[in-house]
Each structure stands twice: as C-alpha cells, then as structure tokens.
C-alpha cells in the first residue's frame, strides 16, 4: 500500500541527485528504483565506503563503461536517507 509514496520519494531523490550532478541513467520509470551515473571511480570501493562510513547499502557497478549506483526505495526510507546519500556521494566523489 506504500508503492505510490515510494515512487514519489524516488522522484524527490532523483531531483536531489540530479541537482548534485548525478544524472539518471535512464528516463524516469514508474518504479521504486533507478540508476544514476557516477564519475569514473572504483565501484567496489565506493560501495564499500558508502556502507562502512555512511551505513548506506546501495549497489555500485560498472556497466557498459559507466559507473552506476542503484537507488531502491522501500517503505522505511525517508527524505533524510536520500539527503544522506547525496551528501555521502559528494564527499566520496
């Protein structure tokens, strides 16, 4: 029953990420997850540091020469979680 709220939160997070320079990989979809482009980096290290330093679990992978982070929104996620993600990515990258 919270799918619509999760999609709205993802849209808000997408705007925050894009404003911080992390563009969506694909056009917006009616889903609760999306991928965003990161600058060239070591995806394993970015994922590990997000987890260890910021307690953020998000897959970071290289695909077709592009580094991507997948953002998935669940009913327990908040706007604050997205703000923390944006802050962490800015600090790391």
């Amino acid at each position: 029953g919270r799918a619509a709220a999760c999609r709205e939160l993802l849209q808000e997070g997408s705007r925050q990420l894009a404003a911080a320079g992390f563009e969506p990989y694909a056009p917006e979809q009616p889903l609760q997850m999306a991928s965003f482009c990161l600058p060239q980096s070591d995806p394993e290290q970015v994922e590990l540091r997000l987890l260890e330093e910021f307690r953020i679990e998000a897959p970071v992978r290289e695909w077709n020469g592009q580094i991507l982070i997948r953002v998935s929104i669940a009913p327990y996620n908040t706007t604050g979680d997205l703000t923390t993600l944006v802050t962490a990515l800015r600090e790391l990258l």
Side-chain angles (χ1 to χ4, degrees), residues 52-91:
E52 290 182 349
E53 296 174 31
F54 299 94
R55 299 185 59 180
I56 296 172
E57 291 186 55
V60 180
R61 303 287 186 272
E62 180 178 355
W63 189 71
N64 284 342
Q66 177 67 56
I67 307 300
L68 303 172
I69 185 168
R70 188 185 76 207
V71 177
S72 301
I73 303 297
Y76 53 79
N77 289 117
T78 66
T79 301
D81 294 331
L82 295 168
T83 301
T84 300
L85 173 62
V86 170
T87 300
L89 289 174
R90 281 182 169 162
E91 185 175 317

Side-chain angles (χ1 to χ4, degrees), residues 30-44:
L31 305 172
Q32 291 176 221
M33 67 179 162
S35 293
F36 297 85
C37 301
L38 301 180
Q40 287 300 312
S41 53
D42 180 336
E44 290 178 19

